[in-house]
Structures are given as structure tokens and as C-alpha cells.
Amino acid sequence: MLTAGMKQYIKQIYLLSDGDDQIPPVLLANALGIGPSSVSRMARKLSHHGVIENKHYGKIYLTEEGKQLGQTLVRQHEVLKQFLEIIGIKEPHILKELEEIEFNVSACVIERINMLNQYFSQDQSRVQTFYQFVITGVTGSNGPTGVTGVTGATGDNG
């Protein structure tokens, strides 16, 4: 089973290899903000799982399974980001929230969130009704306690 950290590597390899099937490990290390030795260790683990291969000169490329998983992970990221935007989470809070949840949500939950995104997108009044509920129905005029970066119907960005 792939860990959240492994999925993060796969997603980043997928994004970096756009248009080119292979990437140098140093490019991945820079993108993730880690050292090349960490990339080498993870590359060995991912290779054992069959999602990447190391080419000569140390370049990394995704297998077909890895490409499919990378594409799925990018789609999940977009679905979750859209959901957070719909419910009123603002930058930079969206990125922080995505880091916490994006590799820990099942495919079934992602599909349901995608359906919810579509439901909200079909009629903006649904979004406004939700914002009104957040502002008045949960904890009064200040919105939910402990939630930061939420925009309600009044335009607050707390």
C-alpha cells in the first residue's frame, strides 16, 4: 500500500514529467524541497511498488501504472481544491488544507465530493445558502468557531 508521502512523490513526478517521460532526481528534490538522497531512497521504494523506474543516468520515469495514479492524484487535488473554494476557504488556507487531506481521502469520497461540487456549481444560490448557513446557522454572526480563511455571504475572510 502506498503512503501519503509516496503519493506526493508520484503526483510531483507526474506534474514535472509533463511532455517528457523522464525527470532528473535533482528536479524532483528541488520541487519537493528535499535533498537528492531522500529522492533516491523514495525512488527505490516506489520502484518496488511498480509505479516508477530509474533510467540510466539516474533519471526517473513513471510506469503506466504510475502515470494513471499520477493523473488520478492530480484530479483528486483539483476536486478537493474546487470543494474548498466552494465552501469559502481562501488562499493561503486552501494549500494548507490540501496538504493535510489530499492523499488521505478515498476514491469513493473524492467521487462524492465531485458530485457535491457539481451540485453547487449548477446553481450559485446553493452556495449562497450555504454561506448564509455558515454565518447564521452554526455559531452566529462570526461563522464557525476555529475555522480560518472562510468567506461567508458578507465577504468576511477570517
Side-chain angles (χ1 to χ4, degrees), residues 82 86 114-127:
Q82 181 184 15
I86 287 172
N114 191 41
M115 287 182 208
L116 193 56
N117 289 348
Q118 292 171 22
Y119 173 78
F120 277 117
S121 296
Q122 289 173 356
D123 184 352
Q124 280 302 112
S125 70
R126 295 171 181 162
V127 176

Side-chain angles (χ1 to χ4, degrees), residues 39 98 114:
V39 169
L98 282 171
N114 191 41

Side-chain angles (χ1 to χ4, degrees), residues 2 6-15 17 51 62-77 102-103:
L2 297 173
M6 290 174 170
K7 290 177 183 177
Q8 182 179 15
Y9 272 78
I10 294 165
K11 178 184 155 201
Q12 195 62 52
I13 294 167
Y14 181 82
L15 292 170
S17 66
V51 292
L62 293 169
T63 62
E64 281 306 312
E65 181 183 349
K67 287 178 185 177
Q68 289 175 356
L69 181 55
Q71 185 177 24
T72 298
L73 292 169
V74 168
R75 180 182 170 276
Q76 285 182 194
H77 175 92
E102 79 176 303
F103 302 114

Side-chain angles (χ1 to χ4, degrees), residues 129-143:
T129 300
F130 173 75
Y131 290 160
Q132 193 61 39
F133 175 75
V134 168
I135 291 170
T136 63
V138 180
T139 62
S141 63
N142 292 326

Side-chain angles (χ1 to χ4, degrees), residues 9-135:
Y9 272 78
I10 294 165
K11 178 184 155 201
Q12 195 62 52
I13 294 167
Y14 181 82
L15 292 170
L16 291 171
S17 66
D18 185 50
D20 187 11
D21 287 334
Q22 54 187 346
I23 61 165
V26 69
L27 182 63
L28 181 59
N30 290 340
L32 294 172
I34 58 175
S37 61
S38 296
V39 169
S40 296
R41 281 192 300 276
M42 183 60 80
R44 282 191 294 278
K45 291 177 185 177
L46 293 173
S47 182
H48 288 297
H49 283 280
V51 292
I52 70 158
E53 300 246 351
N54 286 326
K55 279 203 164 187
H56 48 329
Y57 304 109
K59 292 196 176 180
I60 297 170
Y61 73 95
L62 293 169
T63 62
E64 281 306 312
E65 181 183 349
K67 287 178 185 177
Q68 289 175 356
L69 181 55
Q71 185 177 24
T72 298
L73 292 169
V74 168
R75 180 182 170 276
Q76 285 182 194
H77 175 92
E78 292 304 317
V79 167
L80 290 169
K81 183 178 180 193
Q82 181 184 15
F83 176 70
L84 293 173
E85 288 169 349
I86 287 172
I87 64 171
I89 307 299
K90 297 294 180 193
E91 296 289 349
H93 304 286
I94 285 178
L95 295 177
K96 183 178 182 296
E97 294 298 330
L98 282 171
E99 287 174 6
E100 295 291 324
I101 63 174
E102 79 176 303
F103 302 114
N104 298 304
V105 179
S106 72
C108 178
V109 171
I110 291 293
E111 285 310 309
R112 292 299 175 111
I113 291 172
N114 191 41
M115 287 182 208
L116 193 56
N117 289 348
Q118 292 171 22
Y119 173 78
F120 277 117
S121 296
Q122 289 173 356
D123 184 352
Q124 280 302 112
S125 70
R126 295 171 181 162
V127 176
Q128 291 306 316
T129 300
F130 173 75
Y131 290 160
Q132 193 61 39
F133 175 75
V134 168
I135 291 170

